[in-house]
């Protein structure tokens, strides 16, 4: 077996999996203001951008090879219904318009979920429950029209793809119907189909200020031990009209990516989430790991498992590393 491992040139021609800049989607946080680049303490190297600096950041990463971004909004104010999330001139629609004007060839995907916009931090509208142990639960069916409204606001601003991450049942169908009825039948949906109730989202919640103020997300996000259930989730979303589906997180769920790839022929995305990124950053800062080698190994593993697209905070860095490799 060692004959083909002797030289970089030989290893290169027999390599089974290759990363390419077009594999990556860079998640970015946008907030109100001007000239702001607010570093996220829990995610070294990532910032919350105002619209103007976001455009500059995307121009820089586009030059490196990044061809797609996913936007998360950090609104000026939050309320129980997340109204700032579906305002036509909200933070995400404004960012989308500016980005599409400056970089028409950048694929702009928007995250569709209420948790960044609600004061309670849950991904939907709350209802009081009667006679159950929990006092509140997320009301699935009252949340759907709000997600549809948010998707429309993003599509009207020019979003190339909308990506619902809330994990309500039936939201892909509701969003598809709303988009179709308003002239956006050509706007694709990337659904966070198999999204787990994971502790790896910790740094993100700090970045977006979206941690639930009470309770947790186990009532709507998936239970980590389950893989057959992920297949059912994906099947439902594909049947409701999802054009692409996502598994999230990625690294601790490579088996789920693999199972999804084997069963479905739609493009599969995997989200290399904040905790997976920040763990490596922390270890690299301590001098315990080589960030570049570990990051490329992780991204390669996610692709090898079967992902076609990888959402990763390393997107611009990884493009740079691939160029210099
Ligand atoms: C919420 C959302 C979350 C992430 C993406 N969309 C957080 C959550 O479910 O609490 C996490 C991303 C990451 O950790 O990098 N709509």
């Amino acid at each position: 077996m060692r004959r083909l491992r002797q030289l970089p040139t030989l290893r290169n021609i027999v390599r089974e999996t290759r990363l390419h800049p077009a594999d990556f989607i860079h998640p970015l946080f946008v907030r109100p203001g001007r000239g702001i680049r607010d570093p996220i303490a829990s995610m070294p190297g990532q910032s919350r951008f105002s619209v103007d600096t976001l455009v500059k950041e995307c121009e820089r990463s586009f030059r490196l090879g990044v061809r797609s971004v996913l936007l998360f909004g950090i609104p000026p104010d939050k309320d129980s219904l997340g109204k700032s999330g579906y305002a036509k001139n909200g933070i995400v629609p404004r960012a989308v318009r500016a980005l599409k004007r400056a970089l028409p060839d950048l694929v702009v995907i928007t995250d569709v979920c209420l948790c960044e916009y609600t004061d309670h931090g849950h991904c939907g509208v709350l209802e009081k429950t009667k006679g159950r142990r929990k006092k509140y639960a997320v009301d699935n069916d009252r949340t759907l029209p709000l997600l549809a409204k948010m998707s429309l606001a993003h599509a009207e601003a020019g979003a190339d793809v909308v990506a619902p991450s809330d994990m309500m049942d039936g939201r892909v169908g509701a969003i598809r119907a709303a988009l179709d009825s308003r002239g956006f039948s050509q706007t694709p949906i990337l659904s966070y189909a198999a999204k787990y109730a994971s502790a790896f989202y910790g740094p993100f919640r700090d970045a977006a200020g979206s941690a639930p103020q009470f309770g947790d997300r186990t009532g709507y996000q998936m239970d980590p031990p389950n893989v057959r259930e992920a297949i059912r989730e994906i099947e439902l979303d594909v049947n409701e009209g999802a054009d692409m589906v996502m598994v999230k997180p990625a690294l601790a769920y490579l088996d789920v990516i693999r199972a999804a790839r084997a069963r479905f022929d739609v493009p599969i995305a995997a989200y290399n989430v904040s905790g997976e990124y920040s763990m490596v950053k922390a270890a690299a800062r301590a001098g315990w790991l080589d960030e570049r080698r570990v990051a490329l190994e992780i991204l390669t593993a996610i692709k090898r498992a079967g992902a076609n697209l990888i959402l990763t905070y390393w997107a611009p860095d990884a493009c740079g590393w691939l160029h210099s490799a």
Side-chain angles (χ1 to χ4, degrees):
M1 294 307 290
R2 292 184 52 192
R3 278 195 289 268
L4 292 175
R5 289 181 201 146
Q6 293 175 83
L7 295 168
T9 48
L10 288 173
R11 290 196 297 275
N12 183 38
I13 63 163
V14 297
R15 197 155 284 148
E16 299 175 30
T17 306
R18 280 174 212 278
L19 292 170
H20 185 274
D23 300 333
F24 306 132
I25 300 171
H26 191 197
L28 289 158
F29 301 89
V30 58
R31 48 157 288 169
R34 267 195 75 80
I36 296 167
R37 247 174 218 272
D38 176 17
I40 302 168
S42 58
M43 300 174 68
Q46 305 299 311
S47 301
R48 301 174 194 90
F49 297 94
S50 50
V51 172
D52 55 333
T53 57
L54 177 79
V55 171
K56 291 211 174 71
E57 174 68 8
C58 291
E59 285 170 342
R60 180 189 76 89
S61 58
F62 193 86
R63 281 194 293 274
L64 287 167
V66 175
R67 289 295 173 264
S68 178
V69 296
L70 171 71
L71 298 183
F72 291 100
I74 302 170
D77 38 51
K78 306 189 184 211
D79 58 38
S80 65
L81 297 175
K83 288 196 198 73
S84 52
Y86 33 93
K88 280 185 190 294
N89 211 22
I91 186 67
V92 168
R94 277 191 281 133
V96 171
R97 281 188 216 106
L99 280 176
K100 292 306 295 183
R101 209 176 305 130
L103 292 163
D105 294 333
L106 180 71
V107 177
V108 178
I109 308 175
T110 58
D111 184 83
V112 173
C113 186
L114 288 185
C115 68
E116 296 119 74
Y117 306 96
T118 52
D119 49 13
H120 47 72
H122 279 288
C123 300
V125 181
L126 293 182
E127 59 169 349
K128 262 207 155 98
T129 53
K130 291 184 214 91
R132 283 198 242 142
R133 256 191 311 144
K134 283 188 189 165
K135 279 212 170 75
Y136 291 93
V138 170
D139 186 330
N140 193 89
D141 293 359
R142 272 183 61 214
T143 302
L144 300 183
L146 305 185
L147 297 168
K149 231 170 147 174
M150 188 182 297
S151 303
L152 261 176
H154 295 177
E156 279 165 3
D160 292 291
V161 179
V162 293
S165 68
D166 52 281
M167 289 300 276
M168 297 303 115
D169 287 329
R171 93 276 206 203
V172 173
I175 291 170
R176 186 71 275 155
L179 291 172
D180 290 353
S181 72
R182 301 288 281 273
F184 295 98
S185 62
Q186 292 307 307
T187 302
I189 299 174
L190 162 59
S191 127
Y192 287 65
K195 177 175 178 182
Y196 288 86
S198 169
F200 283 101
Y201 308 148
F204 174 97
R205 290 179 187 174
D206 181 36
S210 63
Q213 296 304 300
F214 56 86
D216 56 34
R217 305 209 203 289
T218 51
Y220 40 102
Q221 297 181 348
M222 284 185 59
D223 198 21
N226 297 353
V227 62
R228 289 192 300 269
E229 187 186 343
I231 299 299
R232 292 185 59 211
E233 281 280 9
I234 295 170
E235 193 161 42
L236 284 165
D237 285 7
V238 169
N239 289 341
E240 286 175 34
D243 301 279
M244 304 183 269
V245 294
M246 192 195 300
V247 174
K248 176 182 173 187
L251 191 53
Y253 297 83
L254 294 175
D255 58 323
V256 182
I257 298 172
R258 168 54 61 91
R261 173 71 299 151
R263 270 288 274 277
F264 300 98
D265 289 325
V266 295
I268 297 199
Y271 201 140
N272 177 214
V273 300
S274 57
E276 300 175 332
Y277 170 84
S278 297
M279 281 193 308
V280 176
K281 283 281 182 184
R285 281 187 165 185
W288 298 335
L289 286 178
D290 177 333
E291 180 188 358
R292 172 185 169 144
R293 290 189 53 205
V294 169
L296 288 173
E297 190 173 329
I298 289 173
L299 296 170
T300 303
I302 295 168
K303 186 162 183 182
R304 194 184 63 228
N308 307 100
L309 290 163
I310 307 172
L311 294 110
T312 178
Y313 301 99
W314 275 301
D317 288 343
C319 288
W321 295 330
L322 293 177
H323 285 304
S324 62

